[in-house]
Amino acid sequence: MNSILENKFGSVIYERINSVQMSSAERQAAINAMRDADAIVDSILWVKRKIEQVGEFLFMKPSIKH
């Protein structure tokens, strides 16, 4: 799981988390917070794309099809 997150966020963030002195519980909380934030951003972007798709569908200009 950590390798997936590391690839997604980049190693710089994980290097900074690992370089800071904190307990393993705090470190896991930081990683979980990053995962939660990423999930929220992904959800917002998904909703934004769906709204754009619905808007494009509703506001299509009528055309003559023969």
Side-chain angles (χ1 to χ4, degrees), residues 30-62:
I31 291 171
N32 289 341
M34 287 178 22
R35 186 193 67 225
D36 294 345
D38 186 49
I40 291 169
V41 169
D42 286 344
S43 299
I44 291 171
L45 290 175
W46 182 84
V47 168
K48 178 186 167 281
R49 277 186 244 123
K50 291 301 174 186
I51 290 172
E52 287 174 352
Q53 289 174 352
V54 169
E56 289 173 0
F57 178 75
L58 292 176
F59 299 111
M60 287 183 354
K61 294 184 178 180

